[in-house]
Each structure stands twice: as C-alpha cells, then as structure tokens.
Amino acid sequence: MHPAFAVGLVFAGCCSNVIFLELLARKHPGCGNIVTFAQFLFIAVEGFLFEADLGRKRPAIPIRYYAVMVTMFFTVSVVNNYALNLNIAMPLHMIFRSGSLIASMILGIIILKKRYSVFKYTSIALVSVGIFICTLMSAKQVTSQPSVSENDGFQAFAWWLLGIAALTFALLTSARMGVFQETLYKQFGKHSKEALFYNHALPLPGFIFLASDIYDHAVLFSKSGALVAQWVRARLLTKSLQFQSTGHSLETMRRSDSVLYDHCELESTRRQQNYIRFQSSA
C-alpha cells in the first residue's frame, strides 16, 4: 500500500469518526460508553478470529503485563467519554487529546531519560500554544453565554474546569501507558496487533459496571427513526412541491408513484397510532 494512500485512509477515518461522534453526542449526550463498548467488542471479536486464532495462539507478551496496560487503557477511554458530559465541546476534546505528544515527551524525559532535538522541542511548544489558545477561547465561550444567569454561568464554568481536569488526567495516563508499552516492546519485541486485541478484549468485563448506561442508550438508539422512512418523507415532500407547482393534485402524484404514496400513508398511520398510545398511557 502506498504511504500517501494509507495516510489518507487514516485521516479520512479519524475525521469521519469525530464528525459522527459529535452528531451522536448532540442527539444523545452521554452516549460515549455505548460507542466505546461497540468499538471494544468489534476489535475484540476481529482479533479473536484473526490474531488469536480462536484462542489457540499463545501471546508473545505475558498476560500480567497486558493487565496493567489494559487498566490504564480502559480508564483513559471511560474518562474521555465522561469529559463530554462536563461542558467540553467536541473540537476542544479532539484538540486537547492531540496533546499526547507533549505528555509523552515529558514522561519520556522523566522516566526513560530521553533527550530530543531542538526542532522537536520547538514543535511541541507550538502545539502547546495552539492547545492553550483553543482551551482559553473555549473557556470564554462557556462563561459568556447570554442566556444563563451569573450563578448558572459559574456552575457551567466549574463543570468545564472539571472536564479539563478529566482530560488532563486521561492525557497523562495515556502517555504513561505509551511509555509502558514502549518498554514492553523493547523487552519482548513489537507485537502491535496482539496488543490491540488484548487491550480491547480484556477490558470487556469492565463494561458490566456501565451496563445500565449502555442499555439505556441502546434503547434510545433503537427508538430513532429509520433512515429509509426519512428518505421517503423527503422524497414525497419534494415530489408534492413539484406537482403543486405545476398545478397537479395529490391524486395525480399517487397515480405516478403509488408505492411511495402508500408507504407515506402507512408511516402517517403508524405515527397516529403511536400518538394515541402515548396519550392513553399519559
């Protein structure tokens, strides 16, 4: 695979991941746990089939080392998810997590006694300035909302500070995990696919503590409207406007596209039944 093509796939995948995660978070705040669980489950199943060979392949790195790394990895994932519930905007969340370079360099100097070139120090300094500016502007946005009172503004800012603290903790923990992983690779060799599998398979029992939250959001997701129905309604609206602009009646539209019209009638009947059921249960 050409390096440029691989970089393009990674870039497109990361950008699309952030876009759809923000759309989900806007529609269902606090859905990070179910998204993370789905991610862990998918990678664990794929790794169990193709990397672990259905459990027949012994790991090159002892499980006790993976247990330490998994504890940090699971903690980082959960804390990053909860930070979205603490007035942290998705752009700030994404930019702040890019500060892992800074944390990794600092811990590398402290723990591994590494030394870097002046060019790398300058690059990290520029990244730090960018993160600081983004964080500062986000703080001003939180405190300058005109629709909230002074007391509510202070409370929102306090929650935002707690979110920044959570992101900082996750950032340092992630960097410490990277240092630990680097020492393991030096000792046992680099086994990135194996580490990917165990880092996602071993934490799965930990989601039991988040089962109620995952279940609640699974129910919310299942209540969302079908994409086909939304497409049908949009198409019906477009066709009705076209027919009305030319002076035709809805009966003419029904004869021209009976399948679409009948589907819309079924959708309307279903909505009326749901409304009646809701009124009777209230």
Side-chain angles (χ1 to χ4, degrees):
M1 181 182 296
H2 194 274
F5 181 68
V7 171
L9 289 178
V10 173
F11 184 77
C14 291
C15 289
S16 60
N17 172 62
V18 171
I19 291 172
F20 288 111
L21 181 59
E22 183 172 5
L23 292 175
L24 283 174
R26 287 181 179 179
K27 183 71 174 180
H28 302 289
C31 66
N33 288 329
I34 189 174
V35 174
T36 303
F37 173 70
Q39 170 193 341
F40 276 52
L41 183 62
F42 177 82
I43 297 177
V45 171
E46 189 273 339
F48 183 73
L49 294 175
F50 300 104
E51 175 61 28
D53 194 17
L54 301 177
R56 292 190 292 263
K57 181 181 177 182
R58 294 178 59 86
I61 300 176
I63 294 295
R64 65 180 182 272
Y65 294 112
Y66 279 126
V68 177
M69 189 160 52
V70 158
T71 302
M72 292 187 284
F73 185 56
F74 182 76
T75 303
V76 168
S77 300
V78 173
V79 171
N80 278 326
N81 289 335
Y82 276 107
L84 292 174
N85 300 333
L86 301 173
N87 287 339
I88 299 296
M90 181 60 70
L92 176 62
H93 190 278
M94 180 177 62
I95 294 173
F96 205 93
R97 292 179 65 180
S98 66
S100 59
L101 295 173
I102 308 168
S104 298
M105 174 178 282
I106 294 175
L107 293 184
I109 295 173
I110 296 174
I111 299 176
L112 301 178
K113 309 300 181 183
K114 284 187 173 183
R115 292 295 179 267
Y116 301 93
S117 64
V118 177
F119 178 77
K120 290 184 178 180
Y121 285 123
T122 305
S123 301
I124 291 299
L126 292 175
V127 172
S128 302
V129 170
I131 295 175
F132 175 77
I133 294 174
C134 180
T135 306
L136 182 63
M137 297 307 297
S138 178
K140 290 183 177 180
Q141 185 179 6
V142 171
T143 56
S144 62
Q145 293 181 1
S147 59
V148 297
S149 62
E150 182 177 353
N151 187 30
D152 292 338
F154 176 78
Q155 186 177 4
F157 182 69
W159 282 112
W160 179 84
L161 285 178
L162 185 59
I164 293 296
L167 286 177
T168 304
F169 171 78
L171 192 67
L172 294 175
T173 306
S174 178
R176 182 63 183 91
M177 182 183 69
V179 172
F180 181 73
Q181 188 173 13
E182 185 177 348
T183 57
L184 288 182
Y185 286 168
K186 288 181 179 180
Q187 183 177 356
F188 298 100
K190 189 173 183 179
H191 304 278
S192 55
K193 290 186 177 181
E194 178 184 289
L196 182 68
F197 164 64
Y198 283 104
N199 282 341
H200 288 82
L202 295 181
L204 286 178
F207 285 99
I208 294 176
F209 301 103
L210 308 173
S212 60
D213 181 74
I214 293 174
Y215 175 78
D216 291 341
H217 283 89
V219 172
L220 289 175
F221 283 4
S222 65
K223 291 181 179 179
S224 61
L227 292 177
V228 176
Q230 295 176 9
W231 174 81
V232 167
R233 287 194 296 271
R235 185 181 170 195
L236 180 64
L237 178 61
T238 303
K239 295 200 73 150
S240 64
L241 292 175
Q242 291 174 350
F243 272 86
Q244 291 175 11
S245 64
T246 56
H248 292 85
S249 63
L250 292 178
E251 184 63 28
T252 306
M253 183 181 70
R254 180 173 185 173
R255 289 196 300 268
S256 67
D257 199 340
S258 60
V259 176
L260 178 63
Y261 196 92
D262 292 342
H263 188 99
C264 185
E265 284 188 335
L266 290 175
E267 179 70 13
S268 177
T269 303
R270 185 184 67 83
R271 286 180 173 271
Q272 291 178 2
Q273 292 174 350
N274 289 339
Y275 179 76
I276 295 173
R277 193 180 300 113
F278 174 75
Q279 290 292 333
S280 61
S281 63

